[in-house]
Amino acid sequence: MSEWPEGRSGRSRGGEGYGRGSASEQPERARVMRHVQRGQGGQGIQWGQQGQQGQQGQRGGRPARPPAPPQGVPPQHGYGHDGRQGGGPQGYDSGYNTGQVYGSPQGGGGAGRGGGDDGHFRPGGAPRPAPDWKRRIKVGSLTLLVVLLVVSVGTYFWADSKLNREVDLSKVIERPGGGDGTTYLIVGSDSREGMSDEEKEKLHTGSAAGKRTDSMMILHVGGNGNTMISLPRDSDVEIPSFVGSDSGKRFEGTGRRVKLNAAYAMDGPELLVRTVEHNTGLRIDHYAEIGFGGFAKIVDAVGGVEMNIEKGFKDKRSGADFEAGKQTLDGQQALAFVRTRYAFAGSDLDRTKNQQKFLSALASQTATPSTVLNPFKLYPTMGAGLDTLIVDEDMGLFDLTEMFWGMKGVTGGDGVSMNIPLSGSRGGNLVWDQAKVKTLVEQLKNGDAVTVRGN
């Protein structure tokens, strides 16, 4: 029978063995757990009960075994009075953080271990570099420039896609030669397209089908400044030879004389341009037309247009009811203002003067930083105008911008506004003064100062 090694007998510690190497059915006595107590000033850990004590005498005649080593973890140093670990000169470093945050012993910034001058941790304790303001300003400016460029390009393509390029000036035949500057034919039509019955009633437009010209004017932008010339709708003109805009068939001129707005009613914008060019000798570079509904929406989008009405007037047909004085017109009032003619002694001539006055004021108040730089006003204004604006196929946004700035220039005194010179009437139609018209056209073509004045 084999012998147990010394100190590992089956009857360990004076009791019956149990567990590993035990032959007893009863467990060995529970080991007494040590009691750990923090001391002061490096007293360390005090040990509680010890299992077996030191040297024991012989048991049953057998030699005493060596004392069992203390069970549990080795003794640890406590904390000193200053809160640092270890009571002796070489205290035990457990890695415990005493509250110091990456910097000075007080937990702040400074040149402590890994701390910068702002209290932020940086490897190696390198100080935070001074901010490079020149670089920041340069990067910020470049970022702003890129954002503005992206917004501008996006706005350009959005607005360009909304233009209704429906007029083909290449269908106009026998055109006069060009000259200095750019000439626009601006038309206000009585189109009710897209308007509801409620809007027609509110704006006093009636419900007539189709569309006719309600106002026509020439705007010339050149080296001699800006010149705006109204063409009364009752002007006596000759219908020349033309090619039908839809049929492509040529119609020979017969010398028939009609009111100017009849040309538009016969074959639309192309024949109107052909008739104006034939009777004036001035080449039309671009065409722009807007209907009743679009006109009113633009005025509302810019928050109304301020006008100084010299004399009050009323007109049941247009719905006009104005008192004299400075006032802001909304879309409904503005449309009534530019359409009224029966309330004036000069009828259509007085109406064209009001139209010029209002369009110039509208352009002046629209082309301002408060509108152009404010997206909450710019986009609604552009959307309202571009949705109903009809232009020629070659007209772009730059041409449209030049047209509006030209109208604004007339209001600002950088140009001339007038009715086309008249010499009398024939059968109710207004007859142009051909000599003055010829001189006026030559001055515009040559870029000379405009000296001719109309009615």
Side-chain angles (χ1 to χ4, degrees):
M1 186 170 182
S2 62
E3 294 286 333
W4 289 94
E6 186 177 357
R8 299 296 293 175
S9 67
R11 300 179 181 272
S12 173
R13 303 192 182 185
E16 297 294 327
Y18 183 81
R20 185 174 60 188
S22 172
S24 174
E25 296 180 358
Q26 299 297 326
E28 62 181 326
R29 290 176 306 198
R31 294 173 181 165
V32 179
M33 300 299 292
R34 70 188 181 282
H35 173 68
V36 180
Q37 179 178 357
R38 299 281 185 184
Q40 293 184 356
Q43 293 299 320
I45 301 176
Q46 302 297 326
W47 292 87
Q49 285 184 306
Q50 308 291 331
Q52 299 294 329
Q53 301 295 328
Q55 297 285 339
Q56 293 184 351
Q58 295 183 352
R59 293 182 181 179
R62 301 176 64 180
R65 63 182 179 182
Q71 300 177 7
V73 297
Q76 303 180 21
H77 294 286
Y79 291 85
H81 293 290
D82 58 355
R84 297 186 180 180
Q85 291 177 333
Q90 295 181 348
Y92 172 71
D93 185 4
S94 66
Y96 178 76
N97 193 320
T98 61
Q100 184 172 319
V101 184
Y102 303 125
S104 66
Q106 287 76 24
R113 182 179 59 191
D117 55 1
D118 58 355
H120 293 287
F121 174 76
R122 274 177 289 283
R128 186 187 188 98
D132 188 349
W133 289 109
K134 290 184 177 180
R135 182 176 180 276
R136 291 186 180 185
I137 294 174
K138 182 178 180 180
V139 172
S141 300
L142 182 60
T143 302
L144 178 61
L145 181 62
V146 171
V147 171
L148 291 176
L149 181 62
V150 171
V151 172
S152 299
V153 171
T155 301
Y156 175 86
F157 284 104
W158 168 77
D160 188 73
S161 66
K162 295 179 75 66
L163 283 176
N164 300 309
R165 296 183 173 92
E166 300 178 5
V167 180
D168 186 2
L169 295 183
S170 66
K171 296 179 180 179
V172 180
I173 63 174
E174 301 174 10
R175 309 192 67 183
D180 176 78
T182 304
T183 304
Y184 300 86
L185 180 60
I186 304 171
V187 175
S189 75
D190 64 359
S191 172
R192 285 89 170 166
E193 185 177 354
M195 296 175 62
S196 65
D197 293 338
E198 291 77 9
E199 289 174 327
K200 293 176 184 178
E201 182 178 358
K202 176 182 177 181
L203 299 177
H204 299 271
T205 63
S207 301
K211 60 181 180 178
R212 288 150 294 278
T213 55
D214 203 59
S215 62
M216 292 161 284
M217 60 185 66
I218 291 173
L219 174 67
H220 181 81
V221 180
N224 53 357
N226 307 305
T227 304
M228 185 179 290
I229 308 165
S230 288
L231 307 176
R233 58 183 291 177
D234 295 336
S235 296
D236 185 80
V237 294
E238 178 185 356
I239 297 293
S241 301
F242 69 96
V243 174
S245 57
D246 293 328
S247 66
K249 181 180 177 181
R250 182 181 176 92
F251 296 88
E252 296 296 337
T254 61
R256 183 164 61 107
R257 304 194 71 87
V258 297
K259 291 182 179 181
L260 181 58
N261 65 342
Y264 183 95
M266 289 172 59
D267 198 51
E270 289 83 2
L271 180 55
L272 178 61
V273 171
R274 168 71 175 130
T275 303
V276 171
E277 289 185 343
H278 175 76
N279 286 269
T280 62
L282 184 64
R283 184 183 181 93
I284 301 299
D285 297 299
H286 292 294
Y287 177 92
E289 173 190 328
I290 192 167
F292 283 162
F295 179 82
K297 288 179 181 178
I298 291 177
V299 175
D300 287 334
V302 299
V305 175
E306 186 177 77
M307 294 289 299
N308 185 19
I309 300 177
E310 297 178 359
K311 184 178 180 180
F313 60 90
K314 295 183 179 182
D315 181 23
K316 291 183 179 180
R317 289 182 175 86
S318 66
D321 187 2
F322 298 105
E323 296 180 355
K326 185 176 293 186
Q327 52 204 284
T328 299
L329 310 185
D330 60 18
Q332 176 184 351
Q333 294 170 322
L335 187 59
F337 181 81
V338 300
R339 291 183 60 217
T340 299
R341 63 171 176 166
Y342 295 105
F344 307 127
S347 187
D348 203 36
L349 290 178
D350 287 340
R351 179 171 71 164
T352 57
K353 292 178 182 178
N354 282 342
Q355 290 171 350
Q356 285 186 355
K357 185 185 299 183
F358 184 85
L359 288 179
S360 297
L362 173 62
S364 180
Q365 295 178 40
T366 302
T368 59
S370 62
T371 298
V372 176
L373 299 179
N374 184 354
F376 298 103
K377 290 186 68 174
L378 175 63
Y379 287 99
T381 302
M382 293 180 66
L386 296 175
D387 280 340
T388 58
L389 187 66
I390 298 174
V391 298
D392 64 271
E393 293 181 348
D394 296 328
M395 191 168 187
L397 288 178
F398 291 110
D399 302 307
L400 189 61
T401 302
E402 182 186 51
M403 184 184 77
F404 276 105
W405 278 100
M407 290 191 294
K408 179 181 179 181
V410 173
T411 302
D414 183 21
V416 178
S417 63
M418 68 177 82
N419 281 317
I420 197 162
L422 302 174
S423 61
S425 62
R426 182 189 301 122
N429 297 347
L430 299 174
V431 179
W432 295 355
D433 187 325
Q434 293 298 327
K436 288 185 178 181
V437 170
K438 183 179 179 180
T439 302
L440 173 61
V441 171
E442 288 178 352
Q443 290 175 343
L444 294 176
K445 282 187 174 183
N446 297 330
D448 298 332
V450 176
T451 60
V452 177
R453 292 296 181 265
N455 299 75

